[in-house]
Amino acid sequence: MACIVVVGTQWGDEGKGKIVDLLTADADVIVRFQGGNNAGHTIVFDGQKFILHLIPSGIFHPEKTCLIGNGVVIDPQVLLGEIDNLEAKGVSVPPGHLYVSERAHLIMPYHKAIDHGREAKKGKTKIGTTGRGIGPCYEDKIARRGIKVGDLLDEELFKAKLEEVLEEKNFYLREYLGQEPLDFQEIYESYLEMGKRLAPYVTNVSLELEKARNRGAKILFEGAQGTQLDIDHGTYPFVTSSNTVAGGACHGAGVGPTTIDFVLGICKAYTTRVGGGPFPTELFDETGEYMRERGGEFGSTTGRPRRCGWLDGVVLREAVRLNGLSALAITKLDVLSGLNPLKVCVAYRVDGERRETFPANIREVERVEPIYEELPGWEEDISQVRRFEDLPQATKDYLRWIEDFAGVPVDLVSVGPARDQTIVLRNPFQR
Ligand code: IMP
């Protein structure tokens, strides 16, 4: 398979970073297509720890090309900070090794101020955003008043756009959110300066992808967040502001649907969610605590403790349908050792009625009760197992159950954070 999209099947934090890092070995080009620095993963390279929010982990391999597509929203300060941090630690990031789309929208200081101000105003009903200005930036994109990476390279255009938009933002900040207005000159000068540094990286990413395809390159599209955080198909309004499903790779990178050969869904062996919003299989007892402690379930971007619960088959089937999944990678299976029996949610009950899909109405979602099936658990530590055959019978049965219920094969199983703690049944790039 030449073009693979990797997506999260739940509410993000499924361990996509590790699987992407693993598949990167076989890819020539790695592309981000949505989200921004609300995502994040930690990579250990040459004994040094790196936290990347925007740049794909392919950056550690000098022969690979890393692209940030038009669908991503970019905080230039964060992007330049990542480049500086990599270079300070000896990882070279020259233009050509990294490219950024001229059409990607910029996260501006007012986006962050509005994100914070709105959440504070909402109080108990807040979404629990990462506070990075993601939603307000996408809002401006759709409202046709956003500022793009390419605009920074045209001083006059940038000035005119910023003047117009800042007047409105300052009114909103001051009058509605009760915040301090922002200074035009400060933003103008600092962004122009950052634009100059970014200029050599700016290109037409869609065109780069076409060239890559023409030379037979293997392309990995790296999704951020997860299916249930999708702006259209997730648990709205408790979602992020982009299309996290596989289709987002097309418009977020500038390729047609026929480009995609394979969609790999990353699914944690249980479920977690960070921030507010519905989570039918959430556990508030010691089992949830066990998952959080053993799984180290604390957000990599905000450090917030993640909510934990049983695997949700309804969510899984939604992910299969919404992404057109070709296969699954099951992550963090080792965390479930010692829990017996295991529960899996097979359907919901809403007001006494059985449901096989997620209700769209948020008030109905709040009344969802999970219907569970029990499966035998296992006591053994599986973190050193490298072959499917060597797993305990109950672990194999759990994986087979997932395959049967989802209707797609499990190609990879992760049993620990290290790259080699992975059981590869089939490598999607070698299929
Ligand atoms: P935003 O993307 O910062 O606007 O946050 C909206 C919702 O998406 C919040 O519930 C966040 O916690 C969640 N979210 C955003 N990015 C991630 C991620 O990378 N992993 C998990 N949850 C995320």
Side-chain angles (χ1 to χ4, degrees), residues 11-14 16 32 35-41 115 119 126-136 138 224-226 228-229 237-242 272-277 299-302 304 306-307:
W11 279 279
D13 307 317
E14 297 91 351
K16 291 181 294 295
R32 276 282 306 268
N37 60 314
N38 47 352
H41 52 250
D115 201 353
E119 287 281 276
K126 69 177 184 182
I127 289 169
T129 71
T130 59
R132 303 296 193 260
I134 305 293
Y138 278 116
Q225 291 89 41
Q228 289 299 333
L229 288 173
F238 297 95
V239 292
T240 191
S241 297
S242 61
T272 62
R273 172 160 208 178
V274 62
S300 58
T301 296
T302 57
R304 293 178 287 180
R306 294 178 186 142
R307 301 154 65 191

Side-chain angles (χ1 to χ4, degrees), residues 3-6 29 31 33 209 219-223 249 253 255 259-260:
C3 288
I4 297 177
V5 182
V6 171
V29 180
V31 200
F33 57 88
L209 284 167
I219 303 171
L220 182 62
F221 294 87
E222 174 182 352
V255 299
T259 309
I260 311 300

